[in-house]
Amino acid sequence: MRIALTPFSQHLAPATLGAAVRAALGQPLRRAAPYTQLLACGAFQLLLPAERDMPFALLWQTTRGPREETLALLAEVCEGSGEPMPYDFLATQPAIAAAQLQPLLPGLAHAQCSPLAHATGADWQSLLTQAANWLVHGRYARVLCAHIDASPETCTAHWIKLHTAPLEIGAWHLHLSNNPSSDDAPGIADTPDLPAQLVSASAAKLALHSRHAPYRTVEFVRSQPAR
Amino acid sequence: MRRAVYLAGRGIACARGLSPDAVAEALWQGGYAPANACAATLDHPYFSIATLQGNWRQRAEAAVRHVAATLGPLAPETPLFFASSSFQIGEFEALPAPRNLPIACASPSLTLAEWLGLNGPCHSYATACTSGNAALMAASEQIADGLIDEAVVLGFELANRSTLAGFIAMGLLSPDLGRPFDQARNGLLLGEAVAAVRLSAHHGDWQLRAQTMGLDAHTLTGPTPDGSRIAALAVDCLTQVNLAAADLDLVKVHAGGSPASDLAEARALHTLFGADLPPLLSLKPALGHTLGASTIAELVALTACLDAGHLPGTAAFSHTDPEIGLQAQVDRKLLNARHALLLALGFGGGMGALVLSRRCALP
């Protein structure tokens, strides 16, 4: 099975996040943390309208996690005089994003947040491996993978959509192997902006260099015209 | 050909004991009183690990070292799959404002790995109460695909005021007891647990036969009332391994005493089994709901009980709710279980189902 990849990146100023959500969804997303709003924007960008009702999975990682939400909750609990507001507690739980997204994206069948342990780098290796596994075994026809981070200064989302649609010439597809990379494909770092690197890369083949799970070779290969 | 995944080792520290055998014995004896013993519990009934002393970090290290003591020998490069819903927020509570949190939100997993003697890859999962299911599934898939031979899956939830205050604010807690499926159920009681399983492609008496996860976002905190999505998830899990509901000897239910979630789960069980229900066991009245650690803690506790040939009774159940129309297993009994279904539900609509089979019962 050939797994097609669609990379996509989005950088937003926090003040424009709400407008971006309204533009993407046609409605505001009320009482949603920035990471949830970023997830909604990206999923709507990557899924065709007909795909939004069909089963898909969302695997997302984050370096900062719900940092601002956690600080707000800590202030309420430790310095405040009463119980926190329920939503302020829920916002510290990344799992809540799925519940806010499923009414908008009825096909969302599984969502999983993987917080990262290191301040630098990412773990696309694990996300892509797990997503490919589900595609190969027919669990889903589409899996969205993302790295999401929101801070008071900027909101950043990097995405890769994995699907089994026919490949367009020049588009990336995923090659997984349990053996070491067989040729001299240039390396690409496992960093949050991997999708942006794929968009700008000119190579025909790239090998993912990751600190995580070094036991599987992950390569990105551009599809070539049939001969 | 995908490889089988076995349970090769386990460890636990929870309110009922500091080893799998101690927890199994306590469950067999039937005690279930909450044991408040740490400052984080806000004078609310709570299942603390009363024997752990000191500040958050000291308690965390002691708990992890208790778990490591019974987990069996680990190669240092063994990957760690870490599941939690609160991570280290309990430690942050002791910091003066303004708090300077680490940049990477899962950074405590590296410290926990070090306490376990591990220096391999470390992956974290935060899907609220189903975090353990996500971690188990990711680790199992890597073993099944031949990428790794062993993995440690660690569920971690230590007492903190933030989580307890959040649950109080949402009105989800019982003022006294968790009563799964009971007519008088009035909410959950929380607890703390640190528990781990060592998964292996080769060794172990229990096989993790099938795992599925799904999403039922009827509300932020509760499933669709008719239980249809929970039932569909369980059927999907059984279908993966060609088991029928009638093949199950036991269901370890999620139920902890929540009026709405217990009802939805009960309706799912009616759909799945009809009138012929196997024993239903809830461990939450005895351990508390240990949130991100619950799947692993309850897996460890359950297999420890079953290895002793014991099915403990579900504590605090006394009156059947006519709307629910079923009851948990109240009386303890001897049981040679071959196949068990374990269910988990969580905030955000997360659902997890797991089929566990005794190795000697497999062809």
Side-chain angles (χ1 to χ4, degrees):
Chain A
M1 174 188 288
R2 300 187 88 189
I3 298 172
L5 306 176
T6 305
F8 168 67
S9 293
Q10 194 166 34
H11 303 271
L12 294 167
T16 66
L17 185 56
V21 169
R22 281 193 297 276
L25 280 60
Q27 65 184 77
L29 194 51
R30 299 189 192 285
R31 300 194 72 80
Y35 58 81
T36 305
Q37 297 182 58
L38 282 165
L39 288 168
C41 285
F44 267 73
Q45 174 72 30
L46 283 165
L47 292 171
L48 301 171
E51 294 175 336
R52 294 170 192 164
D53 292 332
M54 298 156 68
F56 71 96
L58 168 62
L59 303 177
W60 62 287
Q61 58 185 318
T62 173
T63 303
R64 294 172 59 88
R67 182 187 178 89
E68 314 312 324
E69 293 78 7
T70 300
L71 286 167
L73 177 65
L74 285 166
E76 284 185 69
V77 170
C78 300
E79 282 81 58
S81 55
E83 293 167 359
M85 296 298 290
Y87 178 75
D88 290 341
F89 168 68
L90 289 174
T92 66
Q93 298 296 311
I96 288 299
Q100 294 174 300
L101 293 175
Q102 198 182 46
L104 304 165
L105 298 161
L108 179 58
H110 176 51
Q112 177 175 303
C113 174
S114 300
L116 295 172
H118 297 278
T120 58
D123 190 7
W124 287 100
Q125 169 100 16
S126 296
L127 293 194
L128 296 176
T129 300
Q130 189 163 25
N133 196 16
W134 292 350
L135 290 172
V136 167
H137 292 284
R139 188 170 289 188
Y140 303 105
R142 273 161 292 278
V143 181
L144 302 183
C145 295
H147 182 285
I148 302 287
D149 262 337
S151 76
E153 293 78 36
T154 186
C155 297
T156 306
H158 295 287
W159 292 81
I160 297 178
K161 174 185 179 183
L162 295 87
H163 49 121
T164 55
L167 293 173
E168 295 174 19
I169 301 302
W172 291 107
H173 68 269
L174 191 67
H175 180 245
L176 299 176
S177 168
N178 287 4
N179 302 314
S181 184
S182 57
D183 54 28
D184 54 355
I188 186 168
D190 195 343
T191 53
D193 67 345
L194 175 73
Q197 293 184 64
L198 288 175
V199 168
S200 61
S202 57
K205 186 175 183 181
L206 293 165
L208 183 63
H209 288 181
S210 178
R211 67 154 67 96
H212 300 279
Y215 11 78
R216 175 161 272 193
T217 299
V218 175
E219 293 175 324
F220 307 100
V221 183
R222 284 194 191 277
S223 59
Q224 302 295 322
R227 299 185 179 182
Chain B
M1 177 77 178
R2 302 191 92 194
R3 300 193 299 179
V5 180
Y6 301 102
L7 201 57
R10 61 191 174 213
I12 188 169
C14 69
R16 297 271 78 86
L18 298 177
S19 73
D21 289 346
V23 171
E25 178 59 23
L27 292 170
W28 184 243
Q29 295 304 325
Y32 58 87
N36 289 24
C38 67
T41 56
L42 297 173
D43 295 326
H44 196 280
Y46 185 87
F47 289 87
S48 292
I49 310 173
T51 50
L52 297 182
Q53 302 296 316
N55 62 27
W56 187 92
R57 181 162 288 249
Q58 291 164 330
R59 300 183 78 241
E61 181 170 0
V64 169
R65 293 199 187 282
H66 277 296
V67 168
T70 60
L71 203 50
L74 300 173
E77 65 275 15
T78 306
L80 175 66
F81 295 78
F82 176 65
S84 184
S85 73
S86 65
F87 286 77
Q88 70 195 106
I89 199 167
E91 185 168 43
F92 298 153
E93 288 170 357
L95 298 175
R99 295 175 177 81
N100 185 23
L101 308 189
I103 291 172
C105 57
S107 59
S109 61
L110 301 176
T111 307
L112 270 57
E114 188 181 318
W115 290 337
L116 286 167
L118 302 178
N119 57 22
C122 189
H123 310 281
S124 296
Y125 300 86
T127 58
C129 308
T130 59
S131 299
N133 295 79
L136 270 180
M137 197 157 77
S140 298
E141 287 177 354
Q142 291 200 12
I143 292 173
D145 285 344
L147 300 180
I148 55 177
D149 286 333
E150 290 216 340
V152 173
V153 183
L154 177 70
F156 181 90
E157 209 71 52
L158 279 191
N160 63 84
R161 293 166 59 199
S162 302
T163 300
L164 194 53
F167 272 77
I168 291 171
M170 288 189 293
L172 297 175
L173 297 184
S174 166
D176 47 18
L177 286 175
R179 301 176 180 84
F181 295 151
D182 193 279
Q183 188 171 26
R185 70 189 184 282
N186 57 0
L188 305 165
L189 290 187
L190 301 184
E192 56 183 351
V194 178
V197 290
R198 180 162 60 90
L199 302 183
S200 168
H202 308 295
H203 312 290
D205 294 334
W206 292 96
Q207 183 182 346
L208 300 182
R209 296 279 304 284
Q211 298 175 67
T212 52
M213 292 191 73
L215 192 59
D216 179 3
H218 179 71
T219 69
L220 292 181
T221 58
T224 303
D226 68 7
S228 54
R229 292 198 175 198
I230 303 171
L233 184 85
V235 168
D236 180 23
C237 198
L238 292 170
T239 303
Q240 283 183 29
V241 288
N242 297 318
L243 280 179
D247 295 324
L248 295 168
D249 301 307
L250 166 71
V251 179
K252 194 289 299 168
V253 296
H254 172 84
S258 160
S261 288
D262 281 20
L263 181 58
E265 188 177 12
R267 287 170 169 164
L269 293 168
H270 283 300
T271 301
L272 191 60
F273 293 101
D276 194 14
L277 284 145
L280 308 175
L281 170 67
S282 173
L283 292 167
K284 290 181 174 67
L287 308 182
H289 185 0
T290 59
L291 304 174
S294 59
T295 292
I296 309 300
E298 294 182 8
L299 173 62
V300 170
L302 177 66
T303 53
C305 291
L306 296 179
D307 280 347
H310 292 163
L311 176 65
T314 296
F317 182 91
S318 57
H319 292 95
T320 301
D321 181 343
E323 198 175 11
I324 280 189
L326 53 75
Q327 66 175 45
Q329 176 75 28
V330 177
D331 299 322
R332 70 182 193 177
K333 66 176 189 177
L334 300 177
L335 180 73
N336 180 23
R338 300 159 302 150
H339 308 291
L341 174 69
L342 290 78
L343 296 173
L345 308 173
F347 279 175
M351 304 183 292
L354 188 163
V355 173
L356 187 68
S357 292
R358 202 185 286 272
R359 192 171 190 173
C360 61
L362 298 172

